[in-house]
Amino acid sequence: MAANSPGFWATLKRPSARYSLLALLSIGFVAGVLFWGGFNTAMEATNTLEFCIGCHEMRDNVYQEYKTTIHYSNRTGVRAYCSDCHVPKDWGHKMMRKIQASQELYGKVMGTISTPEKFEAKRLELATHEWERMKASDSRECRNCHSFSAMDIERQKARASKMHKIGQEEKKTCIDCHKGIAHKKPKNMPEEPDE
């Protein structure tokens, strides 16, 4: 039966003589739960460190840098993984980020970042896109762990205390001052004024 024939749509609209409405609803419910569970499992699997460093472009470049930072090893033992900084927690923003990230696969498929040299040549562009995304979201992912309201600014070192007070007054967001906190800054990055 062709999908565009009138008989096809009539069959779909007609109640089933063989199965009860309760059976059909139950089957639909179970199928929906299985689909949603599988979809959610796949989404969570793409948030793991193993997935993120599954390609050599990430494993050999930014992951090696990240392992030298305070987000990887620190006195408290709290570790931020790739998804903690690069994937929003709430469902709507997470789905939008996953769609955006699928565009990043283009670099993998086309080989535009396949060597350390090619990666370095694209680093400023890649970093700029990420910084713009973070700025647009008011550094939402940073704020999952860090927030001005939870900071005891008076107990911070003098420079950090001063800069955080200025940041609050000027309504700055984390990425305005903390570029290069988990990955090295691009070599060809324009200089920013030191405050």
Side-chain angles (χ1 to χ4, degrees):
M1 182 180 313
N4 58 0
S5 72
F8 176 76
W9 294 110
T11 302
L12 286 178
K13 292 178 184 176
R14 186 176 46 220
S16 171
R18 182 176 281 174
Y19 304 104
S20 71
L21 181 59
L22 180 61
L24 293 174
L25 287 173
S26 297
I27 291 168
F29 177 77
V30 169
V33 167
L34 290 174
F35 170 78
W36 185 254
F39 179 77
N40 191 51
T41 299
M43 287 296 101
E44 290 308 312
T46 63
N47 283 348
T48 64
L49 179 64
E50 293 75 21
F51 178 85
C52 294
I53 63 170
C55 63
H56 77 88
E57 289 85 354
M58 295 298 109
R59 183 186 63 243
D60 298 343
N61 295 301
V62 292
Y63 179 63
Q64 298 308 317
E65 299 165 9
Y66 153 76
K67 289 189 337 184
T68 67
T69 70
I70 196 163
H71 282 102
Y72 183 82
S73 181
N74 55 67
R75 63 182 169 73
T76 63
V78 176
R79 181 173 290 166
Y81 292 101
C82 307
S83 60
D84 292 325
C85 300
H86 296 284
V87 180
K89 302 282 184 231
D90 65 284
W91 195 85
H93 289 110
K94 181 189 295 187
M95 290 304 103
M96 292 303 298
R97 179 65 187 123
K98 294 291 183 179
I99 292 167
Q100 291 169 345
S102 68
Q103 296 171 359
E104 295 165 6
L105 294 174
Y106 179 80
K108 169 72 173 167
V109 172
M110 299 307 290
T112 59
I113 57 172
S114 60
T115 66
E117 296 78 24
K118 287 180 180 179
F119 187 87
E120 282 304 319
K122 298 273 293 179
R123 183 186 283 269
L124 179 59
E125 178 186 342
L126 297 168
T128 300
H129 288 307
E130 190 60 12
W131 295 334
E132 288 170 354
R133 183 190 70 78
M134 293 177 94
K135 184 161 179 68
S137 72
D138 191 25
S139 298
R140 176 183 42 237
E141 286 71 55
C142 301
R143 293 178 192 284
N144 286 331
C145 299
H146 309 279
S147 70
F148 281 136
S149 63
M151 289 180 188
D152 187 349
I153 292 178
E154 300 307 319
R155 293 181 60 195
Q156 294 177 348
K157 292 182 179 176
R159 178 162 167 76
S161 177
K162 174 186 169 198
M163 296 311 290
H164 283 137
K165 285 176 185 173
I166 291 170
Q168 282 179 307
E169 291 165 6
E170 296 180 3
K171 307 241 184 281
K172 291 195 176 218
T173 190
C174 307
I175 201 63
D176 289 327
C177 302
H178 292 284
K179 292 177 179 81
I181 194 76
H183 305 291
K184 68 180 184 178
K185 290 182 180 180
K187 291 178 184 165
N188 51 347
M189 185 175 163
E191 288 295 317
E192 295 179 338
D194 191 22
E195 297 180 41

